[in-house]
């Protein structure tokens, strides 16, 4: 998932909304169905957003050690 608060260019094909529980669990499922273990999730942003994403990730079973956080 890649989310930014910058306006999307006309070439952008990704989402432009708040990250939800299903986004995280879907990303985990895609990664776990590949031959590799899922990668660490990197989340950066304002504290309220980080807190929300962190809780969603824990709720869907992402190991906390796989969540890298940068608050600004």
């Amino acid at each position: 998932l890649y989310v930014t608060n910058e306006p999307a260019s006309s070439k952008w094909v990704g989402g432009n909304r708040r990250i939800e529980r299903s986004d995280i669990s879907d990303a985990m499922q895609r990664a776990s169905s590949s031959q590799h273990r899922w990668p660490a999730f990197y989340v950066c942003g304002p504290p309220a957003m980080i807190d929300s994403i962190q809780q969603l990730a824990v709720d869907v079973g992402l190991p906390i050690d796989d969540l890298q956080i940068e608050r600004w």
Side-chain angles (χ1 to χ4, degrees), residues 4-67:
T4 180
N5 66 354
E6 298 295 319
S9 75
S10 60
K11 297 177 184 179
W12 176 248
V13 295
N16 61 353
R17 59 180 170 68
R18 180 175 280 235
I19 294 174
E20 299 174 351
R21 177 176 292 157
S22 61
D23 296 317
I24 296 170
S25 60
D26 289 350
M28 288 173 57
Q29 184 176 9
R30 283 192 308 273
S32 66
S33 66
S34 73
Q35 64 183 359
H36 304 290
R37 188 177 167 280
W38 65 65
F41 283 66
Y42 175 75
V43 182
C44 66
M49 184 194 84
I50 298 297
D51 292 344
S52 173
I53 301 272
Q54 185 174 16
Q55 186 60 55
L56 290 174
V58 169
D59 288 350
V60 298
L62 180 72
I64 197 69
D65 290 341
D66 287 352
L67 188 61

